[in-house]
């Protein structure tokens, strides 16, 4: 393999030691990088009988083989560990700049083991790893923490936790890029960082310009990358102009948006007033945010009414903190989004928990719980903001909600309206609007996740000719759905392992293009059959680990409301 790739840093927080190794080329060819190598490293390091908040839970950070090259959207990274929320394997795909900083520091993979004995930060640079005291910043929110380390280490990038992660909240995030808030958002990986007493992992590339990665055929690679960098923003023009929230109206019209805890298909909500188009047209949008090496720029930087700048809410956040709670006020949603980011809470799980509580309250099924002075009503922004605070600090009713809707349903309400798969709350795409989404959610490794297949987009406008899908599929049909979901799950495993943004597929980055880049970068002669087999292998490795945690076919199902109940 003719590529400068595979250097791994292992850090043991318990004894303060670290070591490096270079992963053999035959392993990299089987697992590619990113999500694949994170899963391989995790299963190699995880002991039998592992508990999520145990020091033995390995926390893995991984970039892909294109990080440090000119490939568009290649600056992403993966974070993986055993989930405190679901109790099974979890990984999270993250954009922003942190992954590129880790690569510039000289590493492709970072495995964090053990736990510090006091609040600490892990500083990673060309000289190796250093553990330093973080007592001064412990207790700060994620934005304050990022500012602190940016000032302390100019040119660095920080992955950190807020109060939710410190308190081991099972839905806590790892926050990157400060106020732009690129999140390792799902499955509670922030609680894993908190259990290790790590406030932050700081990637410090060191002085001087960042050296590009050495690859096999730099001229041919660069030429192909330049061509795709021109195509991506043109083909994904709407994503660039309006962000992920630009699709809100179209998805709402298709019956895809969750409304009133997934009970309704539509309601008297001001959907245009909370859309990406609204952000762009009213002056709320200050500028676009671009992840490293991204020509699309779907991220939003907004200015709140009090003048503060911060990351704008994504589609999922607008739906789960907004429509699912019957809230259609843009200011409220933006404030709730910023609060979630500062506190380090997954906005999808948090919004789902609030909607679950509101329905339980409406049904008078709260079993005598103390609501901490909050009246949880549909459409109440005041209740939403208060409940986010309570969840982050595990106080009052927040102590129950922060454990997710699966656990909350055991304590305060009926499982019939606890909307999750394998303990992970549904993202904002309704399987009753796109049939393949139901199969994808039921079989996704980390629980309900649209991004582990993205199959619904192949029922809207995308094609996958490499697997015989030459035209978009009928979203209400049944033909070839299993074949479609298997193919797209394997493709997304590859995208997550190459660490290319999935939105780039809509921008023209096909499986064939990605494979050509991989061969040009590595000098391999991989064909499409071997390429997709690697995606299948990566997917199956995660599934195999989860079977050791008790996951089986009995768990490959959907919530009753989604599976059997028609939308009102």
């Amino acid at each position: 393999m003719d590529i400068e790739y595979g250097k791994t840093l292992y850090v043991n927080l318990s004894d303060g030691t670290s070591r490096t190794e270079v992963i053999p080329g035959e392993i990299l060819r089987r697992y590619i990088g990113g999500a694949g190598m994170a899963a391989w490293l995790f299963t190699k390091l995880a002991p039998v009988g592992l508990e999520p908040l145990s020091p033995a839970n390995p926390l893995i950070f991984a970039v892909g083989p294109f990080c440090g090259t000119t490939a568009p959207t290649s600056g992403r990274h993966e974070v993986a560990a055993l989930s405190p929320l679901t109790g099974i394997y979890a990984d999270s795909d993250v954009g922003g700049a942190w992954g590129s900083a880790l690569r510039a520091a000289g590493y492709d993979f970072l495995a964090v083991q053990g736990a510090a004995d006091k609040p600490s930060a892990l500083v990673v640079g060309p000289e190796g790893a250093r553990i330093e005291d973080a007592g001064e910043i412990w207790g700060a929110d994620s934005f304050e923490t990022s500012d602190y380390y940016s000032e302390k280490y100019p040119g660095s990038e920080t992955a950190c936790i807020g109060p939710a992660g410190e308190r081991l909240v099972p839905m806590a995030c790892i926050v990157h890029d400060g106020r732009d808030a690129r999140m390792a958002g799902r499955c509670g990986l922030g609680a894993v960082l908190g259990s290790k007493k790590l406030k932050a992992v700081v990637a410090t590339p060191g002085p001087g310009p960042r050296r590009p990665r050495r690859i096999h055929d730099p001229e041919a690679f660069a030429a192909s990358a330049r061509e795709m960098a021109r195509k991506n923003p043109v083909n994904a023009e709407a994503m660039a102009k309006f962000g992920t929230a630009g699709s809100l109206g179209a998805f709402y019209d298709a019956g895809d948006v969750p409304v009133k805890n997934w009970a309704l298909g539509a309601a008297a909500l001001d959907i245009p007033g909370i859309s990406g188009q609204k952000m762009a047209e009213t002056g709320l949008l200050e500028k676009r945010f671009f992840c490293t090496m991204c020509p699309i720029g779907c991220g939003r930087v907004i200015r709140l009414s009090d003048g503060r700048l911060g990351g704008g809410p994504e589609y999922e956040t607008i739906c789960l903190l907004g429509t699912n709670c019957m809230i259609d006020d843009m200011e409220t949603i933006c404030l709730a989004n910023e609060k979630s980011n500062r506190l380090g809470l997954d906005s999808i799980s948090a919004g789902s928990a609030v909607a679950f509580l509101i329905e339980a309250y409406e049904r008078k099924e709260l079993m005598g719980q103390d609501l901490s002075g909050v009246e949880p009503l549909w459409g109440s922004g005041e209740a939403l903001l208060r409940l986010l605070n309570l969840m982050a600090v595990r106080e009052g009713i927040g102590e129950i909600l922060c454990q997710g809707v699966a656990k909350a349903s055991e304590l305060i309400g009926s499982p019939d309206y606890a909307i999750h798969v394998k303990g992970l709350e549904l993202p904002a795409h309704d399987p009753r609007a796109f049939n393949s989404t139901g199969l994808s959610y039921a079989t996704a490794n980390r629980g309900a996740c649209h991004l582990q297949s993205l199959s619904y987009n192949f029922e809207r406008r995308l094609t996958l000719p490499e697997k015989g899908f030459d035209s978009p599929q009928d979203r209400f049909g049944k033909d070839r759905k299993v074949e479609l979901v298997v193919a797209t799950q394997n493709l997304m495993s590859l995208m997550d392992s190459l660490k290319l943004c999935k939105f780039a597929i809509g921008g023209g980055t096909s499986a064939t293009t990605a494979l050509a880049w991989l061969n040009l970068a590595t000098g391999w002669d991989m064909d499409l059959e071997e390429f997709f087999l690697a995606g299948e292998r990566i997917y199956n490795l995660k599934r195999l680990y989860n079977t050791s945690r008790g996951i089986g076919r009995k768990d490959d199902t959907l919530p009753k409301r989604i599976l059997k109940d028609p939308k009102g």
Side-chain angles (χ1 to χ4, degrees):
M1 183 180 68
D2 188 11
I3 185 175
E4 184 184 48
Y5 183 49
K7 189 174 181 181
T8 308
L9 176 63
Y10 298 85
V11 178
N12 190 316
L13 299 171
S14 296
D15 61 17
T17 62
S18 64
R19 63 184 177 88
T20 62
E21 71 171 353
V22 177
I23 303 297
E26 59 267 25
I27 298 296
L28 295 171
R29 184 158 179 158
R30 290 174 65 83
Y31 296 101
I32 310 296
M37 281 305 304
W40 183 83
L41 284 164
F42 174 86
T43 55
K44 177 184 173 185
L45 297 173
V48 174
L50 178 65
E51 293 298 324
L53 298 180
S54 161
N57 188 4
L59 183 66
I60 313 296
F61 296 81
V63 303
F66 304 145
C67 190
T69 74
T70 56
T73 77
S74 60
R76 308 182 70 81
H77 69 282
E78 198 83 8
V79 187
L82 186 65
S83 168
L85 181 65
T86 65
I88 58 178
Y89 180 79
D91 52 9
S92 188
D93 170 47
V94 192
W98 191 92
S100 295
L102 179 68
R103 169 58 206 160
Y107 304 99
D108 298 301
F109 315 122
L110 168 65
V112 183
Q113 300 170 273
D117 59 5
K118 61 181 179 180
S120 301
L122 177 62
V123 182
V124 177
E127 72 288 349
R130 182 175 71 259
I131 302 167
E132 64 177 42
D133 186 272
E136 181 180 358
I137 199 66
W138 194 260
D141 69 36
S142 65
F143 296 175
E144 294 165 340
T145 304
S146 183
D147 289 346
Y148 176 86
Y149 286 107
S150 292
E151 183 176 346
K152 187 172 184 178
Y153 296 106
S156 69
E157 298 292 344
T158 300
C160 67
I161 54 174
E166 292 181 3
R167 289 170 172 80
L168 312 185
V169 168
M171 59 175 68
C173 300
I174 301 176
V175 185
H176 306 73
D177 290 79
R179 285 164 177 76
D180 290 310
R182 302 296 99 179
M183 315 292 276
R186 309 235 58 201
C187 305
L189 298 182
V192 178
L193 209 63
S195 72
K196 296 181 179 301
K197 283 287 194 295
L198 269 188
K199 183 63 173 175
V201 182
V202 185
T204 59
R210 297 186 180 184
R211 183 174 60 84
R213 186 191 294 278
R214 188 183 69 245
I215 60 177
H216 173 71
D217 190 339
E219 291 185 5
F221 185 96
S224 181
R226 281 195 301 270
E227 180 184 3
M228 195 53 62
R230 288 192 295 267
K231 289 181 178 179
N232 277 172
V234 174
N235 294 340
E237 181 182 9
M239 184 70 74
K241 290 175 65 175
F242 304 121
T244 59
S247 61
L248 179 66
F251 281 134
Y252 183 81
D253 292 341
D256 192 43
V257 170
V259 179
K260 203 174 185 182
N261 199 28
W262 300 87
L264 302 181
L269 295 171
D270 180 15
I271 297 301
I274 54 176
S275 66
Q277 288 82 353
K278 182 72 171 182
M279 274 189 251
E281 293 163 2
T282 60
L284 182 62
L285 179 65
E286 185 79 8
K287 60 181 180 179
R288 290 151 62 192
F289 174 81
F290 292 77
C291 297
T292 300
M293 293 310 303
C294 178
I296 299 171
C298 73
R300 311 288 93 178
V301 177
I302 62 170
R303 187 175 295 277
L304 296 170
S305 59
D306 62 4
R308 285 178 295 161
L309 289 175
E314 303 282 349
Y315 166 84
E316 307 292 333
T317 296
I318 288 174
C319 293
L320 274 309
L321 293 179
T323 61
N324 206 39
C325 298
M326 300 295 284
I327 293 172
D328 61 356
D329 177 70
M330 179 64 92
E331 177 77 3
T332 297
I333 293 171
C334 287
L335 289 172
N337 176 63
E338 191 206 36
K339 185 177 287 291
S340 298
N341 293 342
R342 280 185 177 274
L343 296 171
L345 280 174
D346 174 11
S347 61
I348 296 176
S349 289
S352 298
V354 171
F356 173 80
L357 177 70
I358 295 171
E359 181 162 352
Y361 181 75
E362 182 181 57
R363 290 172 175 264
K364 298 179 172 58
E365 294 181 357
L366 283 178
M367 305 177 189
Q369 294 292 332
D370 176 10
L371 294 178
S372 310
V374 178
E375 186 175 14
L377 299 174
W378 298 115
S380 173
E382 180 183 357
L384 172 66
L385 294 170
R386 176 67 177 141
L387 288 167
L388 292 175
N389 281 330
L390 291 172
M391 283 189 276
V393 297
R394 305 188 74 147
E395 289 183 0
I397 193 66
E399 169 61 28
I400 293 175
L401 295 182
C402 79
Q403 299 179 60
V405 299
K407 182 66 174 178
S409 70
E410 299 174 6
L411 301 172
I412 63 172
S414 169
D416 286 349
Y417 52 89
I419 313 301
H420 69 92
V421 174
K422 300 182 178 78
L424 186 64
E425 293 79 9
L426 268 64
H429 293 284
D430 196 322
R432 293 167 291 187
F434 293 92
N435 279 353
S436 72
T437 302
L439 183 57
S440 175
Y441 283 176
T443 58
N445 280 314
R446 70 177 186 177
C449 178
H450 61 302
L451 292 173
Q452 291 206 348
S453 78
L454 209 68
S455 61
Y456 65 93
N457 262 335
F458 294 84
E459 294 174 315
R460 295 178 66 220
R461 60 187 184 87
L462 297 183
T463 62
L464 186 54
E466 294 89 346
K467 288 295 181 180
F469 295 97
D470 297 315
S471 60
Q473 302 300 292
D474 176 8
R475 66 187 177 114
F476 294 125
K478 296 180 180 179
D479 293 344
R480 301 188 71 192
K481 293 300 180 185
V482 172
E483 186 181 351
L484 175 66
V485 171
V486 169
T488 53
Q489 283 177 337
N490 293 341
L491 175 60
M492 297 311 145
S493 287
L494 290 166
M495 295 294 284
D496 280 338
S497 299
L498 295 167
K499 296 320 305 169
L500 294 175
C501 181
K502 297 181 178 75
F503 296 152
I505 299 174
T509 305
S510 67
T512 298
T513 299
L515 174 57
W517 289 351
L518 185 59
N519 284 332
L520 288 170
T522 60
W524 293 339
D525 57 354
M526 189 180 290
D527 59 19
L528 279 168
E529 182 179 2
E530 183 184 355
F531 190 52
F532 274 91
L533 182 61
E536 181 180 357
R537 180 183 300 113
I538 292 161
Y539 202 87
N540 288 345
L541 178 62
K542 300 175 191 180
R543 175 73 183 203
L544 183 63
Y545 179 80
N546 282 344
T547 62
S548 75
R549 306 287 301 182
I551 293 296
R553 291 184 178 180
K554 70 184 187 306
D555 304 294
D556 295 339
T557 188
L558 297 170
K560 175 182 177 293
R561 174 163 290 174
I562 301 297
L563 193 61
K564 297 182 178 181
D565 295 351
K567 289 185 286 191

